[in-house]
Amino acid sequence: MTLSTLKREQIKKDLKDNSFDVVIIGGGITGAGIALDASERGMKVALVEMQDFAQGTSSRSTKLVHGGLRYLKQLQVGVVAETGRERAIVYENGPHVTTPERMLLPMHKGGSMGKFTTSIGLTMYDRLAGVKRSERKKMLNKKETLAKEPLVKQAGLKGGGSYVEYRTDDARLTIEVMKRAEEKGATIINHSKSMHFTYDNNEKVNGINVEDQISGETYTIGAKKVINASGPWVDEVRSGDYARNNKQLRLTKGVHIVIDQSKFPLGQAVYFDTEKDGRMIFAIPREGKAYVGTTDTFYDNDKTSPLATQEDRDYLIDAINYMFPDVQVEDSDIESSWAGVRPLILEEGKDPSEISRKDEVWEGKSGLLTIAGGKLTGYRHMALEIVDLLAKRLKEEYKLKFKPCETKHLPISGGDVGGSQNFDNYIEEKVKDAKAYQIDEPLARHIVSKYGSNAEELFKIAQTAQYQDTGLPLDIYTELIYSIQNEMVYRPTDFFIRRTGKLYFKIDDVLNYKEQVIDVMSELLGYSDVQKELYKQELETAINEAQTGNNQPAVKE
């Protein structure tokens, strides 16, 4: 069975009728990683997500699988070493969702990065992170720095450093991990909320009650163990258990803004410190846009839809105009934005940027396992940590034995391309194959680059597509049908935000084709009139949030 929206009722039946070794609460990158690791070891796995997969933190990051250079400044050497090693694994297992990206680190007189400290820092980074020779740091003089990115501020420029990070599509990374977990036997569903725990006679957690957020139906999933991997909602989920420790989360918010390259013609990713508070932020070119972030402020408001405030937007605009003074961008140049919440573990008296990104596993008297903190880059290692403990408990309590973790060399869905070194060749081969399906080269190249070894499935859809009557271009129609059949898309926002990223990087496609997409989804998924109107309003709200930071749908004239 695939992660098909069309098989949703069958998936629910499987969740009701079976008993599982573990049920995971949370469908972000952490929950997806746990589901993959546990199912690969042979465990019977269920996973529920109350919203869409990756709808929380995992679709709202800086979209980098990075080694955490800034944590070196805070002397978090362990975090840098672990995440540096993990990012290479993430790239190797999913080169279709991860791309090496050279970063420029400009050094200015009076800035926080001097030539000597930058060189030492980047050398340490290369060693700790185990960076391959071709991607190691290079030190640049002023002329070489400007040759890399002419827009960088020239006044006081002393030179720069160049090093490699990995750009990713965070939401697609999550869904590809989830799809591989399903292939390994995990039973997975989105838009299904864990309401409360169930217990056995010894007051040990033995399952959860779930409410389908689409139909309102409630049912129980039975499991030997429950893992709480709900990210920013970790404390809320734990509050339903009688056994809690004294640890808690401290949420911080990060905001990113997107500007068209006609306004901000950035040719090279740049990592720079801001004038206002000396924090380091990224400016990254992507798909004809430049996106800039992130802010880092404490956050206590609505976790389901954090917003980019005017203060956030001003902070990032000021930072751009400080480092790229000839650009002179204005607030009106912002095409789109997103805000994400980081679930960090509370450390009293520390500023948002100083709080450690390290993860922790907590075990309650009830047997509930919780994982909190951590970074996108370290998701696989976080999963290894908690699934090792899970396997130990299942052996102690149920005499069950499972094989050790095998995800280090396990490609995620779409990643069966012969390794990262071969991915370019794989793309060329598949683009040639696409001719047999009468698919033109630009579309074929887009599909293979984005979907990797799953490309053939999309070629088949494109070849047989009756898309002309829908008013949709072939590329959007093909991705829409594929995402419904294989990626559990149910709402238009699932498709436009988390499966394609169009709301952030191609907002014109959303504005031009939203009605047609809703019509196709309504016909295929059998929306009621009420649902159709509700999802239409939900999409309008999301568009308005992205464009203005306001979460009220725009009033039509």
Side-chain angles (χ1 to χ4, degrees), residues 2 13 56 64 89 95 116 120 124 132-133 197 236 282 358 360 400 404 458 519 524 542:
T2 59
K13 187 174 187 309
L64 290 174
I89 296 169
F116 178 71
I120 293 286
M124 276 184 69
K132 59 180 88 166
R133 189 177 296 277
F197 301 112
E236 279 87 339
F282 292 98
K358 190 154 177 18
E360 290 184 13
L400 296 173
L458 286 102
D519 285 345
L524 274 175

Side-chain angles (χ1 to χ4, degrees), residues 99-312:
T99 312
E101 177 95 49
R102 271 232 165 245
M103 291 281 167
L104 179 65
L105 199 62
M107 299 174 301
H108 288 85
K109 192 175 179 182
S112 66
M113 306 293 274
K115 222 166 198 173
F116 178 71
T117 53
T118 299
S119 180
I120 293 286
L122 290 176
T123 301
M124 276 184 69
Y125 184 71
D126 283 348
R127 286 185 182 164
L128 284 168
V131 174
K132 59 180 88 166
R133 189 177 296 277
S134 63
E135 295 180 358
R136 286 180 190 162
K137 62 100 173 169
K138 296 173 185 169
M139 296 305 295
L140 311 169
N141 61 30
K142 179 177 177 178
K143 187 178 177 183
E144 290 167 330
T145 302
L146 288 171
K148 292 271 185 198
E149 184 46 79
L151 294 175
V152 164
K153 182 176 65 152
Q154 295 191 35
L157 181 66
K158 297 188 293 184
S162 172
Y163 72 105
V164 170
E165 294 283 25
Y166 290 80
R167 184 161 52 83
T168 191
D169 183 326
D170 48 6
R172 287 219 58 80
L173 172 64
T174 303
I175 194 69
E176 298 292 28
V177 174
M178 202 74 81
K179 283 154 68 180
R180 183 62 96 206
E182 191 277 336
E183 286 170 35
K184 295 288 179 182
T187 307
I188 294 167
I189 197 163
N190 57 0
H191 299 299
S192 300
K193 185 177 182 179
S194 172
M195 302 302 288
H196 51 84
F197 301 112
T198 59
Y199 297 87
D200 65 16
N201 294 334
N202 297 315
E203 293 194 321
K204 296 291 184 185
V205 170
N206 68 354
I208 56 173
N209 284 118
V210 176
E211 181 180 77
D212 187 327
Q213 300 297 283
I214 292 162
S215 68
E217 179 189 0
T218 59
Y219 57 96
T220 300
I221 303 173
K224 295 178 181 73
K225 288 287 173 185
V226 178
I227 291 179
N228 172 14
S230 55
W233 289 270
V234 152
D235 285 342
E236 279 87 339
V237 171
R238 287 196 307 149
S239 71
D241 185 28
Y242 68 85
R244 285 188 64 177
N245 61 17
N246 57 4
K247 298 268 188 163
Q248 66 184 87
L249 295 186
R250 187 65 169 107
L251 305 182
T252 70
K253 184 180 75 167
V255 167
H256 298 78
I257 57 174
V258 181
I259 296 167
D260 193 82
Q261 287 202 337
S262 61
K263 298 280 188 183
F264 184 12
L266 187 70
Q268 150 87 54
V270 183
Y271 188 32
F272 63 98
D273 46 9
T274 60
E275 181 182 30
K276 189 172 182 181
D277 54 13
R279 281 188 63 258
M280 301 290 291
I281 64 172
F282 292 98
I284 302 171
R286 176 172 165 166
E287 298 177 44
K289 312 292 178 186
Y291 74 96
V292 182
T294 177
T295 60
D296 204 353
T297 52
F298 286 130
Y299 185 75
D300 297 309
N301 298 322
D302 177 21
K303 291 189 279 282
T304 53
S305 56
L307 300 173
T309 65
Q310 192 58 52
E311 189 180 355
D312 296 325

